[in-house]
């Protein structure tokens, strides 16, 4: 799996670690920020909070009759105080929890698959190691992270546990109580990122093709550069998609992206990826210095700070000339292409089992 060097967020001697956490709980790492809060007045914040609280109180009406209002408010950014509850509703987790009372606690009481449990134990300390919730295994973050991942592996044994799920679960636990975080996590894994974590990664391979097709439409010069140097999408986008950008973007940008992601789905991750790729390689001067695969990957895996800045990402996402139909067209195209490839592979496999037939002359 291709992983961006900056996104690993593992402890390093070179990392700058503060004695005090930032406003989001980070002591260090690339997601720590000392920038001031958004320049909104107290009156503006309160007005937005009231609008969101009213909307949540009338959620079913808004979802059925005025979804556009929900989407537009998500794009503006959900107020921090309302975000946990908003995500709980946007993801449909509130319905899952209502339909499955006591299920989370029941899952915690089950032993789980021993091999899976060991994998989770080995992986839980790697998630956001600079955040106050996950500093050591005695902290509530690591304990709850283990519980959420274990519960999901029992809840959906077809998927079990995949390492790429851990940062998503940890990210949700920073905003929601454990049981609520679990149900949002279920929704993300089973709906938003459906089949992403099944062995074989067939869906992510399909989405890599879709991303390539959309890039050809939105930024032809960059598309041609990647084709020229044989830079396959899976080499740089796998971590972005599997982890839903949680290990890639600065914190404030990530929160805004997830506001949109939970409202609009996987298309948002595609758009963020297109913005990063396009902005990183849009200048001819940059492409000229990227003389091969390795140089190009280095640029894509470590985008410049201004490219992943909150307003830049959100504004450029909205400016992309992409319709829902464009995604549907590419999805259909990639599905047909992969079906054709599979048929060819099966034919070749069948032919190799009957070698004497392959050399027969065609009549």
């Amino acid at each position: 799996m291709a992983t961006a060097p900056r996104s690993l967020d593992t402890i390093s001697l070179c990392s700058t670690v503060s004695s005090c956490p930032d406003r989001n709980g980070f002591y260090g790492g690339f997601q720590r920020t000392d920038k001031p809060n958004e320049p909104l007045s107290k009156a503006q914040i309160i007005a937005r909070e009231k609008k969101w609280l009213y909307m949540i109180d009338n959620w079913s009406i808004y979802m059925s009759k005025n979804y556009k209002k929900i989407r537009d408010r998500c794009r503006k950014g959900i107020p921090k105080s309302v975000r946990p509850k908003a995500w709980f509703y946007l993801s449909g987790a509130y319905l899952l929890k209502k339909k499955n009372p006591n299920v989370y606690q029941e899952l915690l009481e089950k032993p789980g698959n021993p091999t899976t449990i060991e994998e989770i134990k080995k992986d839980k300390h790697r998630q956001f190691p600079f955040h106050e919730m996950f500093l050591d295994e005695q902290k509530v973050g690591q304990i709850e992270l283990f519980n959420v991942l274990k519960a999901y592996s029992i809840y959906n044994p077809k998927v079990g546990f995949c390492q790429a799920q851990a940062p998503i679960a940890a990210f949700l636990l920073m905003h929601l109580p454990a049981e609520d975080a679990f149900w949002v996590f279920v929704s993300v894994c089973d709906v938003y990122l459906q089949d992403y974590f099944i062995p074989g990664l067939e869906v992510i391979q399909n989405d890599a093709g879709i991303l390539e097709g959309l890039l050809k439409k939105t930024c032809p010069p960059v598309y041609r550069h990647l084709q020229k140097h044989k830079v396959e999408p899976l080499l740089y986008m796998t971590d972005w998609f599997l982890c839903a950008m949680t290990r890639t973007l600065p914190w404030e940008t990530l929160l805004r992206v997830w506001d949109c992601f939970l409202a609009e789905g996987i298309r948002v991750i595609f758009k963020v990826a297109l913005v990063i790729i396009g902005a990183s390689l849009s200048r001819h001067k940059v492409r000229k210095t990227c003389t091969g695969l390795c140089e190009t990957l280095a640029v894509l895996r470590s985008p410049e700070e201004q490219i992943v800045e909150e307003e830049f990402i959100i504004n450029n996402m909205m400016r992309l000339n992409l319709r829902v139909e464009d995604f549907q067209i590419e999805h259909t195209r990639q599905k047909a292409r992969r079906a054709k490839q599979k048929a060819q592979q099966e034919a070749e496999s069948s032919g190799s089992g009957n070698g004497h037939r392959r050399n027969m002359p065609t009549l």
Side-chain angles (χ1 to χ4, degrees):
M1 182 187 299
T3 307
R6 65 176 292 177
S7 69
L8 288 175
D9 203 19
T10 50
I11 294 176
S12 163
L13 293 174
C14 299
S15 301
T16 302
V17 180
S18 173
S19 58
C20 298
D22 68 0
R23 64 177 180 270
N24 298 310
F26 285 95
Y27 282 88
F30 83 92
Q31 288 174 318
R32 174 184 168 83
T33 179
D34 292 313
K35 292 180 181 179
N37 272 315
E38 57 185 323
L40 288 178
S41 68
K42 190 173 182 179
Q44 287 176 308
I45 293 171
I46 292 173
R48 285 191 177 186
E49 288 172 342
K50 286 181 177 178
K51 288 177 181 178
W52 266 98
L53 290 172
Y54 178 81
M55 196 159 63
I56 290 172
D57 285 342
N58 298 276
W59 192 254
S60 59
I61 295 173
Y62 272 87
M63 282 296 288
S64 60
K65 297 183 179 179
N66 203 358
Y67 166 74
K68 186 176 180 295
K69 178 67 72 176
I70 295 176
R71 186 201 65 188
D72 291 347
R73 286 180 177 170
C74 286
R75 289 178 175 181
K76 287 181 180 178
I78 302 173
K80 184 177 181 179
S81 63
V82 185
R83 183 170 276 130
K85 193 169 185 179
W87 285 6
F88 191 57
Y89 275 74
L90 281 167
S91 64
Y94 77 105
L95 293 173
L96 289 172
K97 185 179 178 181
K98 186 177 180 180
K99 290 177 183 176
N100 298 278
N102 307 316
V103 166
Y104 179 63
Q105 195 58 45
E106 291 169 3
L107 292 169
L108 294 184
E109 291 169 3
K110 295 181 180 180
N113 181 293
T115 303
T116 301
I117 297 302
E118 283 305 309
E119 289 176 357
I120 294 171
K121 286 180 179 178
K122 290 176 182 177
D123 199 63
K124 64 187 177 71
H125 72 279
R126 298 170 183 162
Q127 312 311 320
F128 301 102
F130 292 112
H131 194 274
E132 59 187 357
M133 281 183 64
F134 302 99
L135 288 176
D136 61 66
E137 61 183 17
Q138 301 304 319
K139 292 284 186 180
V140 65
Q142 286 201 34
I143 295 169
E144 291 184 341
L145 177 59
F146 171 80
N147 287 341
V148 167
L149 294 172
K150 171 197 167 185
Y152 180 81
S153 71
I154 301 169
Y155 178 83
N156 189 346
K158 180 183 176 183
V159 174
F161 169 68
C162 172
Q163 283 186 332
Q165 293 175 310
I168 296 175
F171 174 65
L172 292 172
L173 284 167
M174 294 180 202
H175 298 89
L176 295 146
E179 186 173 1
D180 291 356
F182 169 74
W183 288 115
V184 177
F185 182 67
V186 167
S187 183
V188 169
C189 292
D190 294 358
V191 180
Y192 290 79
L193 303 178
Q194 185 179 10
D195 295 336
Y196 263 33
F197 307 109
I198 292 175
L201 302 179
E202 185 174 332
V203 175
I204 200 77
Q205 291 178 47
N206 187 67
D207 283 357
I210 294 173
L211 180 65
E212 199 169 44
L214 294 172
L215 183 64
K216 184 178 182 180
K217 175 181 173 63
T218 59
C219 199
V222 173
Y223 169 79
R224 288 193 295 269
H225 174 86
L226 296 178
Q227 289 291 301
K228 177 182 177 182
H229 296 292
K230 295 181 173 54
V231 185
E232 297 290 335
L234 287 173
L235 295 173
Y236 57 83
M237 57 79 75
T238 305
D239 191 73
W240 296 351
F241 278 67
L242 282 178
C243 300
M245 295 289 174
T246 54
R247 302 200 305 178
T248 302
L249 298 174
W251 200 249
E252 299 302 329
T253 309
L254 179 60
L255 295 176
R256 291 287 303 279
V257 165
W258 265 67
D259 289 345
C260 299
F261 171 56
L262 292 178
E264 302 178 57
I266 192 65
R267 290 195 302 273
V268 169
I269 305 300
F270 276 100
K271 289 180 179 180
V272 174
L274 290 168
V275 171
I276 293 174
I277 299 164
S280 297
L281 294 168
S282 61
R283 288 174 293 169
H284 177 71
K285 183 179 178 181
V286 174
R287 295 199 301 275
K288 197 172 180 180
T289 61
C290 296
T291 56
L293 183 146
C294 294
E295 293 85 354
T296 304
L297 284 178
V299 170
L300 291 176
R301 289 174 175 175
S302 298
E304 295 177 2
E305 186 176 338
Q306 63 267 27
I307 290 173
V308 289
E309 192 270 332
E310 176 185 350
E311 292 304 323
F312 184 89
I313 288 285
I314 299 300
N315 291 339
N316 282 282
M317 271 175 53
M318 302 311 159
R319 289 181 187 142
L320 282 173
N321 185 26
L322 289 174
R323 306 161 300 158
V324 173
E325 291 78 12
D326 293 319
F327 287 90
Q328 293 171 340
I329 289 168
E330 282 302 325
H331 176 74
T332 302
R333 186 176 294 161
Q334 291 305 316
K335 192 174 180 180
R337 185 180 68 84
R338 292 192 66 79
K340 185 177 179 181
Q341 287 179 341
K342 189 174 182 181
Q344 288 175 341
Q345 289 170 356
E346 289 175 352
E348 289 172 3
S349 177
S350 175
S352 65
N354 298 279
H356 63 285
R357 293 184 182 177
R358 295 179 66 190
N359 296 321
M360 288 178 66
T362 303
L363 298 178

